[in-house]
Amino acid sequence: MAAARVSADQLLAQLRGFVGQRHVLTDEQSTRRFRKGHRTGEGEVLAVVQPGSLLEQWQVLQAAVAADRIVIMQAANTGLTGGSTPDGNAYDREIVLISTLRIPGVQVINEGEQVVCLPGATLDRLEQTLAPLNREPHSVIGSSCIGASVLGGICNNSGGALVRRGPAYTQLALYAQVRADGTLELINHLGIDLGETPEEILTRLQNGQYTAADVHNDTGRAASDARYGDDVRQVDADSPARFNADPSRLFEASGSAGKLCLFAVRLDTFPKEPSTVFYIGSNNPDDLTEVRRFMLTSLPRLPIAGEYIHRTAYDIGEKYGKDTFLLIDRFGTAKVPKAFAMKSRVDGFFERLGLRGVSDRVVQAVTDKMPSHLPARMQEWRDRFEHHLLVRVSNDTAEVAREFLKNFFASSTSGAFFECDAEEGRKAFLHRFAIAGAAIRYREAHQKQVQDILALDVALRRNDRDWVEQLPVEMENDIIHKLYYGHFFCHVFHQDYIVKKGVDPIEMEHRMWKLLDARRAEYPAEHNVGHLYVAKPSLAGFYQQLDPTNTFNPGIGQTSKARNWGDCCEGSGQWNGYREESSGASQ
């Protein structure tokens, strides 16, 4: 095989020839922030390679595949389930991790109604590109806060806060695939004429060398999930609105979880609309259920967003997510990736000295001395109510929403609402998204008390009125804090459990899965399986069909890490989602 002829040193020399010496990282310190996940996951790599163009990415990929190495594709490395990093070191081949952040292009087509995003494009950059056009991408202020990539969202069928738009999804992509015979093929399903050979296609795309006449809008392929609005309105349906393993939303790049090498995706954009935010609090979960049902069934148009925060999550987020909130509030989301990179370098230095979480503890000590950053009315609602709901509606439906809330809470003793001004609305949603990383900070600040964080994202059935989780007493006794927050109108909840020292979080997670199975919930809902969850047979079959040699991201969804899958996933032909079309580079 080719692997026997290409040594590690020979492969590294090839890679350096493609991208330059400084962009092939091999030492432990320089590779740390790439091979260690944002929340979980870590392992060894032969090299981290940083191509600076699509053609360099193709050349690196060709060399790694020819040398029979594992390839892990990575953009921003912001995933929460370890899906874009190695998972331990039990692999049968060396790993080449390809970081695409040096290829950040966003190309506007069809007068701004669509975009083509290259591998390193972040949601923040896409949002900034579209702002002058008064349009916005599929997801805003959520994953964009931590610099998440556009292509990463597509690969993971990521969800998001925007009720009308559903999971990140497209059927229009340019990607490379390793066939069953080990050959590498570039497949152009962008619907844009770019030439015949991979070199021509990638160079023309990189340079934007195509015209409006080359862009086809009659491909029969979608650039977003148009049916989600109908799905989420079905509040009496006895199934979740969305979840990662939904076979109907697995299509080539979409949901591929790194089992293909993506070079570009083509996506719809959306008009930016003036909006109004209502802040709702209640001590009775049924109040929020009734608000949800009205907003989804009786507004003339779907609400834009509906975000839930439990009081405990509010408190942990206020204290341990303050630095994230202030960083974004004062400097914008564009600064966040650089802050994470600097944090990783600092932590890596101290970890070599046997000291973990130094940056977290220092930052926490500083922010503890700072005054509260949240608006006064939010703080009042926090004291009064256990459950909080942030509702954003477009202004053309605001009056209907306002009258409903006035009437609904007029005689209520359990809840109330207020209409946010622009500053309150902005800070309320920013606080909601700062909560997402607060449990990690809590863990690092309380290492003697905390074993680890157990993080689940769960899709409940659309008709489930008992959405407040009730845990057995023995499980409650093993938990310090429970953080519940999420996309309430979609019935997708993030559930972070801060586990007491000495408790096995993996064993607890398996107990949690049994409880969720009993509730007929689906999980994960929007962060994909990564290396934490078990891929269901249909999802594992999809992965195997995309990557029959198991070259890309082996072990995802706790599948086999072995070349050609070993004994994994027999019967994967039962996958019943969309079938990949056979196509070559010239299409």
Side-chain angles (χ1 to χ4, degrees):
M1 293 181 62
R5 299 193 301 273
V6 181
S7 69
D9 288 341
Q10 289 173 321
L11 177 58
L12 290 173
Q14 291 179 14
L15 299 177
R16 291 178 181 122
F18 296 137
V19 304
Q21 178 89 19
R22 64 177 296 195
H23 297 302
V24 179
L25 312 178
T26 57
D27 65 274
E28 184 175 339
Q29 181 178 357
S30 63
T31 61
R32 179 188 181 277
R33 70 185 181 98
F34 301 95
R35 56 182 176 78
K36 182 178 177 64
H38 176 65
R39 177 180 277 174
T40 187
E42 182 176 9
E44 297 175 357
V45 298
L46 172 65
V48 173
V49 188
Q50 302 170 296
S53 69
L54 296 179
L55 183 56
E56 286 183 5
Q57 180 176 318
W58 171 252
Q59 292 169 328
V60 168
L61 180 63
Q62 280 183 307
V65 171
D68 193 33
R69 267 40 173 215
I70 286 169
V71 175
I72 294 180
M73 301 301 303
Q74 183 187 98
N77 191 19
T78 59
L80 301 182
T81 57
S84 60
T85 60
D87 178 48
N89 299 314
Y91 293 89
D92 60 358
R93 294 150 289 168
E94 293 172 311
I95 296 172
V96 175
L97 192 155
I98 302 177
S99 171
T100 63
L101 288 180
R102 294 182 61 224
I103 317 173
V106 175
Q107 301 173 0
V108 177
I109 62 174
N110 288 336
E111 299 182 337
E113 294 186 0
Q114 289 188 326
V115 289
V116 174
C117 294
L118 303 190
T122 63
L123 285 169
D124 176 74
R125 181 178 180 130
L126 176 55
E127 193 172 349
Q128 292 182 25
T129 300
L130 293 175
L133 305 176
N134 203 34
R135 298 185 73 84
E136 58 188 15
H138 159 270
S139 182
V140 296
I141 199 61
S143 298
S144 60
C145 288
I146 55 174
S149 71
V150 177
L151 272 65
I154 294 296
C155 286
N156 292 317
N157 271 359
S158 297
L162 302 179
V163 178
R164 299 173 181 174
R165 299 178 194 174
Y169 182 79
T170 187
Q171 297 174 350
L172 298 163
L174 173 65
Y175 60 88
Q177 182 175 38
V178 177
R179 297 297 195 184
D181 61 1
T183 58
L184 183 66
E185 184 175 12
L186 185 70
I187 299 172
N188 181 10
H189 286 168
L190 278 176
I192 302 175
D193 293 332
L194 295 165
E196 300 296 328
T197 67
E199 291 76 14
E200 183 183 12
I201 290 169
L202 297 172
T203 301
R204 286 184 58 187
L205 179 61
Q206 178 92 51
N207 297 330
Q209 294 175 327
Y210 57 90
T211 67
D214 295 318
V215 178
H216 299 285
N217 297 312
D218 56 354
T219 63
R221 290 171 173 249
S224 62
D225 183 4
R227 67 184 174 90
Y228 184 71
D230 292 331
D231 290 350
V232 76
R233 282 193 185 275
Q234 308 306 312
V235 295
D236 292 314
D238 196 34
S239 61
R242 58 177 168 94
F243 58 98
N244 284 123
D246 181 355
S248 70
R249 291 188 169 97
L250 301 176
F251 189 93
E252 297 178 353
S254 295
S256 59
K259 302 302 288 183
L260 300 169
C261 176
L262 268 63
F263 289 85
V265 295
R266 177 175 164 185
L267 302 169
D268 290 332
T269 69
F270 304 89
K272 184 181 294 185
E273 298 185 63
S275 62
T276 299
V277 174
F278 299 99
Y279 197 105
I280 300 163
S282 180
N283 292 313
N284 183 352
D286 291 342
D287 287 346
L288 302 194
T289 295
E290 294 309 313
V291 171
R292 171 179 174 267
R293 292 177 66 86
F294 176 86
M295 295 288 180
L296 292 179
T297 62
S298 299
L299 281 187
R301 298 172 65 207
L302 280 169
I304 295 172
E307 293 295 301
Y308 170 75
I309 308 173
H310 184 268
R311 178 188 278 156
T312 302
Y314 183 109
D315 292 345
I316 299 293
E318 180 184 12
K319 181 175 176 66
Y320 296 97
K322 182 185 292 187
D323 61 305
T324 299
F325 181 103
L326 294 176
L327 175 65
I328 297 170
D329 188 44
R330 297 182 183 182
F331 300 105
T333 57
K335 299 294 184 183
V336 176
K338 293 181 180 179
F340 273 106
M342 181 181 297
K343 179 182 183 299
S344 179
R345 287 192 289 269
V346 171
D347 286 342
F349 172 81
F350 282 105
E351 283 177 9
R352 292 196 299 277
L353 303 177
L355 301 172
R356 196 191 91 185
V358 170
S359 67
D360 285 290
R361 292 197 295 275
V362 170
V363 170
Q364 194 57 46
V366 172
T367 56
D368 280 346
K369 300 181 183 301
M370 302 173 70
S372 176
H373 52 290
L374 298 178
R377 285 202 289 184
M378 282 179 61
Q379 297 290 59
E380 178 189 348
W381 253 239
R382 179 265 165 220
D383 293 338
R384 291 175 59 184
F385 304 114
E386 178 181 2
H387 304 284
H388 298 239
L389 179 61
L390 288 57
V391 178
R392 183 184 296 277
V393 300
S394 51
N395 283 350
D396 59 357
T397 65
E399 184 57 32
V400 176
R402 185 180 297 113
E403 287 304 307
F404 166 76
L405 293 172
K406 285 180 179 179
N407 294 332
F408 184 81
F409 288 109
S411 59
S412 173
T413 59
S414 57
F417 82 100
F418 66 87
E419 186 171 335
C420 297
D421 60 30
E423 186 77 352
E424 288 172 324
R426 184 179 63 82
K427 289 188 173 182
F429 273 88
L430 181 52
H431 177 54
R432 154 62 187 89
F433 293 109
I435 291 170
I440 303 173
R441 170 63 52 74
Y442 186 101
R443 177 188 65 190
E444 299 306 319
H446 300 275
Q447 293 179 17
K448 293 181 179 180
Q449 295 79 35
V450 178
Q451 183 67 36
D452 208 342
I453 305 300
L454 169 56
L456 301 175
D457 61 294
V458 177
L460 300 183
R461 291 169 293 134
R462 284 167 281 181
N463 64 351
D464 192 345
R465 292 175 177 266
D466 297 324
W467 53 270
V468 178
E469 183 176 63
Q470 302 295 327
L471 293 178
V473 174
E474 62 272 17
M475 295 184 75
E476 291 276 7
N477 292 337
D478 289 340
I479 297 171
I480 300 173
H481 290 298
K482 300 174 297 181
L483 281 66
Y484 296 114
Y485 54 100
H487 314 306
F488 189 66
F489 289 162
C490 304
H491 254 200
V492 168
F493 292 85
H494 300 290
Q495 303 177 178
D496 295 347
Y497 307 91
I498 301 175
V499 180
K500 290 181 180 178
K501 200 74 172 180
V503 176
D504 183 353
I506 300 299
E507 189 274 334
M508 175 176 282
E509 182 172 30
H510 293 169
R511 284 190 284 164
M512 291 284 187
W513 290 352
K514 292 180 180 179
L515 296 176
L516 293 172
D517 289 341
R519 298 175 69 186
R520 293 190 289 136
E522 290 283 354
Y523 54 92
E526 62 178 10
H527 288 156
N528 218 325
V529 290
H531 289 287
L532 294 183
Y533 297 90
V534 177
K536 293 184 176 181
S538 60
L539 184 59
F542 177 62
Y543 293 158
Q544 189 175 16
Q545 186 189 45
L546 293 180
D547 182 21
T549 64
N550 210 16
T551 294
F552 291 110
N553 210 7
I556 197 77
Q558 301 187 26
T559 58
S560 172
K561 294 180 179 177
R563 181 188 289 108
N564 298 320
W565 295 87
D567 296 327
C568 173
C569 312
E570 293 183 6
S572 61
Q574 64 189 283
W575 176 64
N576 59 356
Y578 291 108
R579 293 289 176 183
E580 181 202 10
E581 296 178 22
S582 176
S583 179
S586 62
Q587 290 189 281

